[in-house]
Amino acid sequence: MPQGMKISRARRSFLKAVGITAAAFAGTAGSYKPAAAKHDEENGSCFLRGTRIRTADGYRPIETLSVGDRVAAHFAGQAPITDISSFTLSRTGPAGTWGGAARPVRVKRGALGENLPAADICLTASHAVFMDGFLVPVGNLVNGTSIVLEMAEGHDTLDFFHVELRSHDVLDAEGAACESRREPGAQACVPLLGFHGGRNELRSRLRSMASIVVDRRQPLDVIRDDLEERGLQLARAA
């Protein structure tokens, strides 16, 4: 990697570390802890209404799917849906914000790779995406450019849908690899990475800062850093 890109990563991580520390002192950190998120009706692996899922018959909006329909699964091939359900997320708090592990996150077109996803998708923050052999809650990957907190202005409610298979797997949502619903406590199909709150995220940023001298970043640090750099490149090209 060119030295200039390393310096840019270190500078970006320094600013993020300052922000995390400031939030901790202000008492606003810890309101969302993706890795500890529950997989239930309001905090699970959920897709926004309209998200297109790849099926045996091509891509279909998630709300049109039914039990028994076959979807493209990364490990099981064409797998039948065993359960599909939905819930409605409402704004909360005095400012009318979206909060908690179910807060919506928009993954913009191309954020995860070339044409991945092929169109913007919106997931709950605890919903994990499949990257480099790991599952990572998308809330851990918010970078302010290509992966952003969805404000959904003009909407007071949003409808989200779960897709459950016989065993936990990875679905194709507009080309992006996203997990299917996982029962609470069930084994994930691949290792699940997460920051477990502000302290671990701060340590991650410090490792990224130090990588300009010696690179001891962990897999989640690298995934996050690579997607941040990609987001900046997409923003500059826009």
Side-chain angles (χ1 to χ4, degrees):
M1 176 181 288
Q3 187 70 8
M5 292 179 64
K6 291 182 179 180
I7 294 173
S8 176
R9 181 177 66 211
R11 183 185 300 114
R12 186 170 63 249
S13 292
F14 170 75
L15 293 174
K16 294 286 187 179
V18 170
I20 293 168
T21 304
F25 277 108
T28 58
S31 59
Y32 164 54
K33 299 177 181 179
K38 299 176 182 178
H39 285 70
D40 58 23
E41 282 292 302
E42 296 184 348
N43 297 315
S45 310
C46 312
F47 299 92
L48 182 66
R49 175 185 290 275
T51 305
R52 297 197 312 159
I53 305 297
R54 187 181 175 193
T55 73
D57 302 316
Y59 286 97
R60 290 173 50 189
I62 192 168
E63 66 271 18
T64 69
L65 301 181
S66 303
V67 171
D69 288 343
R70 291 186 172 273
V71 294
H74 183 81
F75 297 103
Q78 295 291 336
I81 296 174
T82 59
D83 185 59
I84 187 163
S85 56
S86 65
F87 76 95
T88 299
L89 179 67
S90 301
R91 291 186 185 273
T92 59
T97 58
W98 309 103
R103 70 183 308 172
V105 173
R106 178 170 295 274
V107 181
K108 296 184 181 180
R109 181 178 180 273
L112 305 179
E114 188 64 33
N115 212 37
L116 300 176
D120 290 9
I121 59 174
C122 189
L123 313 170
T124 47
S126 59
H127 197 153
V129 295
F130 184 52
M131 298 291 301
D132 298 345
F134 299 97
L135 285 169
V136 183
V138 71
N140 285 156
L141 302 175
V142 170
N143 55 34
T145 54
S146 59
I147 304 176
V148 299
L149 296 177
E150 174 61 59
M151 304 313 295
E153 295 180 1
H155 295 270
D156 292 325
T157 61
L158 295 171
D159 295 330
F160 284 92
F161 292 77
H162 300 287
V163 173
E164 187 171 353
L165 308 181
R166 186 172 291 110
S167 59
H168 188 236
D169 214 309
V170 175
L171 305 174
D172 178 334
E174 294 286 1
C178 306
E179 67 171 334
S180 65
R181 184 178 184 273
R182 180 166 61 92
E183 287 289 343
Q187 181 68 37
C189 58
V190 296
L192 180 66
L193 305 180
F195 289 128
H196 301 275
R199 286 187 178 181
N200 282 347
E201 186 174 1
L202 178 58
R203 294 189 185 100
S204 170
R205 289 295 179 180
L206 295 176
R207 287 191 295 268
S208 290
M209 287 171 54
S211 67
I212 192 172
V213 178
V214 55
D215 195 345
R216 293 180 178 173
R217 292 177 298 162
Q218 298 178 6
L220 179 52
D221 309 333
V222 175
I223 291 170
R224 188 268 322 283
D225 290 345
D226 287 350
L227 292 181
E228 282 190 350
E229 181 61 34
R230 179 171 181 80
L232 292 171
Q233 292 173 351
L234 291 172
R236 287 194 290 265

